[in-house]
Amino acid sequence: MVSSQAQSPRRVVITGLGINTPLGDELDTFYANLVAGKSAITRWKWHNNEGVYSKIGGDLSEYDVKAKLARLRGVLPAEVHKRARLLCNKAPFSTSLSVLCAADAWRDAGMVEVADPTRCAVLVGGHNLNERYFADNYVTFQTEDPDYIDSMAALHMLDTDHAGSVSEMLGWKGSCYTLGGACASANVALRNAIDEIRHHDHDMAMVVGAVLDFSQMGVHAMALLGAITFESFNDTPELASRPYDSRREGFVPSHGAGALVLEELGHALKRGATIYAEVLGCTSTSDGCHLPSPSTEGQARTLERLLRRAQVRPDEIDFICAHATSTPLGDLSELNAIRKVFGDHAKRLKINAPKSMLGHTCWSAPAVETVAALLQMRGGVLHPSINIDELDPEVDVDVCANKAVEHRINLMVKNSFGFGGLNCCALYRRWDPNAL
């Protein structure tokens, strides 16, 4: 006999959001800056090595963790704030931002306590996260006394320290782990969070897209690969990220963290939570190729599978939050996949490119940009795709070029496509309390 739960999977909703980018670490500020078309891209402050080609990006390296903790005092419960303060006092830059972003999502979800912390999961998207911290300790080890490295390095160099720190701060004791999928990492974490709630006896899950703390070698290696911009815009960094424009020459690496609270619908309704949207599904595929070569076929296959599994027709989708990295091949590959899946309906879609303002936050991009998309769903105004001075003639769809657009989002897709042909796309529906 088939159980009723197997016939009707548990429904999953979003009830809390957290954000930290150079455009803001509060939801309202972040959304206002996006709608205003403000760029987050500046000269890097964390290195001045002229030999490193990468000179620009979205920079949080001087973010004031102590000031943020001070703002959270009295907002978070005293014990939660104490744990956050103690964790951030010892943690590397990126881990601290994971803790603070999760704290923001937790309070946005209206949480004071949970009935059963063993049914609350923590999932962090990203890998090699504390890259600069690792590199700095390695230099100390090689050039100074080896005992001068951070005594906590054996723990802090592990990506799992992000998940463990968030779970300690929240006091959650369910599943806790990190997932790596290159630039699709945070969507892969979201996919697993859905499964934890639907199939593994969890009521809630915190998904954190963690800041990739770039090292000098990391950004230089991406430049040597030809993936990032480093030639034309060092003196005008705000113009560097330009998806869909004819002069785009590569993505702009950036810092950024995003967090989402996922919750089983009944649990959310019982506690009177505010619901941003329902998550209908998240699908992951690969291209069977380790190189950073975008595949229209693989991206289209992911979108088709996502819609089929969610039993949603292509013509029901009205908005796509695009991956759109500002690379010559990647932008067109994604648009070709959209045309293949949506056919004539593609020209009726609204599409925009958050990376035109934020740059590419890499592993956290799916979470950062999903927060942006859900705020647009709530606010009814889509942010522009900026820096489109000369639209690529192959772009024949509505990409919200250079201006904000009023639009009511009902069903939206968030695309994420990572290096190595790692594709992961998610589907969200506007919450309608009358459609229970």
Side-chain angles (χ1 to χ4, degrees):
M1 180 178 179
V2 179
S3 70
S4 59
Q5 182 169 331
Q7 293 172 332
S8 301
R10 302 176 91 203
R11 294 168 68 182
V12 180
V13 293
I14 304 291
T15 57
L17 304 176
I19 195 69
N20 198 332
T21 78
L23 290 186
D25 64 353
E26 298 287 347
L27 297 175
D28 290 345
T29 302
F30 176 62
Y31 179 53
N33 283 332
L34 286 173
V35 171
K38 184 177 180 180
S39 174
I41 310 306
T42 61
R43 297 273 295 191
W44 287 127
K45 301 179 184 71
W46 56 270
H47 86 77
N48 57 4
N49 186 339
E50 287 302 313
V52 175
Y53 296 163
S54 176
K55 302 291 194 294
I56 61 174
D59 196 336
L60 283 173
S61 62
E62 296 182 354
Y63 183 77
D64 194 335
V65 170
K66 291 182 179 179
K68 177 68 173 184
L69 284 165
R71 296 204 304 274
L72 290 173
R73 187 185 297 275
V75 177
L76 297 176
E79 283 303 311
V80 174
H81 186 271
K82 180 180 179 180
R83 292 194 293 266
R85 189 174 73 252
L86 292 174
L87 287 162
C88 290
N89 184 47
K90 299 291 185 181
F93 158 72
S94 178
T95 310
S96 292
L97 267 59
S98 289
V99 168
L100 294 173
C101 199
D104 275 338
W106 186 85
R107 68 187 179 103
D108 185 56
M111 298 304 301
V112 177
E113 60 181 357
V114 294
D116 186 350
T118 68
R119 293 169 65 99
C120 298
V122 173
L123 297 91
V124 173
H127 44 85
N128 310 101
L129 290 165
N130 296 333
E131 187 179 281
R132 182 160 59 108
Y133 169 84
F134 182 95
D136 289 348
N137 274 277
Y138 185 78
V139 169
T140 299
F141 183 86
Q142 291 289 343
T143 61
E144 301 180 37
D145 187 326
D147 287 344
Y148 287 173
I149 65 171
D150 184 355
S151 61
M152 294 287 286
L155 178 63
H156 290 327
M157 287 190 299
L158 302 176
D159 292 332
T160 49
D161 189 45
H162 287 250
S165 296
V166 171
S167 68
E168 180 177 338
M169 186 263 296
L170 296 176
W172 287 9
K173 299 179 180 180
S175 291
C176 180
Y177 50 98
T178 58
L179 298 109
C183 307
S185 290
N187 256 3
V188 175
L190 177 92
R191 180 175 180 269
N192 279 262
I194 295 168
D195 285 349
E196 291 290 352
I197 293 171
R198 285 183 175 170
H199 307 299
H200 300 291
D201 204 29
H202 286 85
D203 296 321
M204 304 183 73
M206 175 72 72
V207 173
V208 179
V211 172
L212 172 55
D213 188 14
F214 304 101
S215 68
Q216 295 183 51
M217 187 186 78
V219 291
H220 192 67
M222 288 191 288
L224 293 176
L225 191 64
I228 67 175
T229 179
F230 63 89
E231 294 181 344
S232 304
F233 300 102
N234 286 334
D235 295 327
T236 54
E238 70 279 0
L239 304 179
S241 191
R242 46 198 315 113
Y244 310 126
D245 183 77
S246 294
R247 290 183 64 203
R248 66 190 185 279
E249 62 181 31
F251 75 78
V252 181
S254 294
H255 295 145
L260 304 102
V261 176
L262 278 66
E263 194 164 351
E264 190 273 323
L265 175 60
H267 189 272
L269 293 175
K270 184 177 181 179
R271 68 179 189 88
T274 297
I275 296 175
Y276 284 93
E278 183 173 5
V279 191
L280 298 185
C282 188
T283 293
S284 177
T285 72
S286 74
D287 296 337
C289 175
H290 83 285
L291 298 173
S293 304
S295 164
T296 291
E297 185 277 331
Q299 293 171 7
R301 179 162 41 86
T302 311
L303 286 166
E304 289 168 347
R305 189 174 183 178
L306 173 69
L307 297 177
R308 182 178 69 252
R309 287 183 57 82
Q311 299 182 352
V312 170
R313 300 190 314 273
D315 63 5
E316 293 181 271
I317 305 298
D318 57 84
F319 172 64
I320 295 179
C321 181
H323 186 61
T325 59
S326 189
T327 59
L329 293 178
D331 291 0
L332 294 183
S333 176
E334 181 179 16
L335 289 182
N336 286 335
I338 290 170
R339 293 188 193 99
K340 182 176 181 180
V341 173
F342 292 91
D344 291 340
H345 182 63
K347 294 189 177 182
R348 293 187 287 274
L349 291 167
K350 296 293 184 185
I351 302 169
N352 62 12
K355 292 182 184 69
S356 64
M357 288 171 281
L358 295 168
H360 195 347
T361 60
C362 294
W363 318 154
S364 68
V368 169
E369 295 168 14
T370 295
V371 172
L374 293 172
L375 293 175
Q376 291 171 90
M377 178 182 277
R378 183 183 68 177
V381 178
L382 306 183
H383 68 66
S385 301
I386 69 169
N387 292 329
I388 301 178
D389 297 327
E390 181 182 339
L391 188 67
D392 187 314
E394 293 191 51
V395 178
D396 61 353
V397 294
D398 186 351
V399 294
C400 302
N402 299 317
K403 62 180 181 180
V405 177
E406 290 188 4
H407 177 70
R408 176 184 168 87
I409 300 171
N410 291 304
L411 276 164
M412 73 179 191
V413 169
K414 172 63 200 135
N415 284 343
S416 298
F417 306 121
F419 273 11
L422 308 179
N423 311 310
C424 196
C425 300
L427 177 62
Y428 299 85
R429 177 168 60 197
R430 172 183 288 277
W431 173 244
D432 180 1
N434 298 316
L436 286 173

